[in-house]
Amino acid sequence: MSVAASDAASVHFPNGWCATDLGRFRPCDSTYEVYPLDSLPPLDAVGLDGGFGWMGDGSTGPSEHVAHLAALGRELAAVGLAVPSDFAAFYSSERLCRAFDEVSVTACWTDLSVALRSPAEEGARLVRFMRDQQDCVIWYLYLRPSGEAFVVCSHLELESAEAWSAGERADEFREAAAGSLIRCAGSFEEFAYRFVVENELWMQLNSVGTEGQLAPRLQAYADHYAAAVA
């Protein structure tokens, strides 16, 4: 059921990190599994500041998404919302915006949407930014009138589903759509860090001859799981 924007803080989504296995460190019974957020490595020491410095330096030109971001910004501004700076920085950069597509071991791909109405809260909007190749999981940026921005995932394609929500069973559909949302990261850059590092780690763990040769950030991530099973 939808709630007024003034009551948005009362809407709490279940937390979880939807991802694949990490080899011997984290098993997965299928392509994806939802892992408790408190089981993930903490990122306090990473220094996430919205600048994506952990992805390295390098000159970059504007991406193919610049025009889309501008239109999205105008659309959101009309309802009192804004594109978060980390999201804008990532998708405006020709170098950064390809990172998910290049690293994904489950063939996820970038697919930016328009601003979609939240099925859970009046005044909130979602922006789809990535989907699994078979739409097993779709990731959205979630924007609240309070200025809060975080990442959720769902098994539903909410853009296509908006048209269905006007039918006879609209309330039933909105309830199901709202119930499908899982909060998986407190910011877009937090999501980006985990997604990139986990996929890089998966590739290293499944490559011949890389045992004991992990990059520092991958080793730190793996050490968290190694300690948990020690």
Side-chain angles (χ1 to χ4, degrees):
M1 180 179 297
S2 297
V3 297
S6 59
D7 296 327
S10 65
V11 176
H12 298 285
F13 300 112
N15 293 327
W17 179 251
C18 187
T20 194
D21 71 280
L22 288 177
R24 65 184 182 277
F25 295 111
R26 191 180 70 194
C28 183
D29 291 333
S30 187
T31 304
Y32 296 101
E33 191 166 320
V34 177
Y35 302 94
L37 288 185
D38 60 9
S39 70
L40 303 180
L43 302 183
D44 300 339
V46 174
L48 304 180
D49 60 5
F52 298 91
W54 51 273
M55 292 189 70
D57 299 323
S59 60
T60 181
S63 78
E64 62 184 287
H65 305 297
V66 169
H68 183 95
L69 288 171
L72 179 62
R74 293 190 294 270
E75 187 180 5
L76 290 172
V79 292
L81 299 173
V83 178
S85 59
D86 57 353
F87 188 85
F90 186 87
Y91 283 110
S92 295
S93 165
E94 191 268 340
R95 178 175 63 89
L96 297 179
C97 75
R98 301 192 305 264
F100 297 160
D101 303 62
E102 292 174 346
V103 79
S104 175
V105 299
T106 54
C108 295
W109 55 287
T110 295
D111 186 29
L112 298 182
S113 74
V114 298
L116 309 172
R117 293 179 182 275
S118 168
E121 304 173 273
E122 294 292 342
R125 295 291 187 272
L126 298 97
V127 179
R128 184 192 63 240
F129 62 88
M130 186 173 66
R131 60 203 307 163
D132 168 77
Q133 63 171 335
Q134 296 181 324
D135 283 355
C136 296
V137 190
I138 302 174
W139 289 268
Y140 301 86
L141 181 69
Y142 196 100
L143 305 172
R144 280 178 163 158
S146 64
E148 185 182 11
F150 50 95
V151 175
V152 298
C153 63
S154 171
H155 64 279
L156 294 178
E157 167 48 278
L158 298 179
E159 184 172 17
S160 300
E162 275 201 343
W164 307 342
S165 64
E168 295 181 0
R169 303 172 67 182
D171 289 342
E172 181 181 340
F173 169 77
R174 281 194 292 269
E175 183 176 353
S180 76
L181 300 177
I182 299 174
R183 180 169 176 154
C184 51
S187 71
F188 177 75
E189 190 181 18
E190 178 186 327
F191 172 86
Y193 184 88
R194 290 200 189 281
F195 188 86
V196 170
V197 168
E198 289 202 358
N199 281 271
E200 287 181 343
L201 180 56
W202 190 98
M203 286 188 285
Q204 288 289 301
L205 294 173
N206 287 276
S207 297
V208 177
T210 58
E211 188 72 24
Q213 300 179 25
L214 296 177
R217 71 182 182 194
L218 305 187
Q219 189 64 60
Y221 213 87
D223 287 346
H224 169 83
Y225 287 103
V229 299

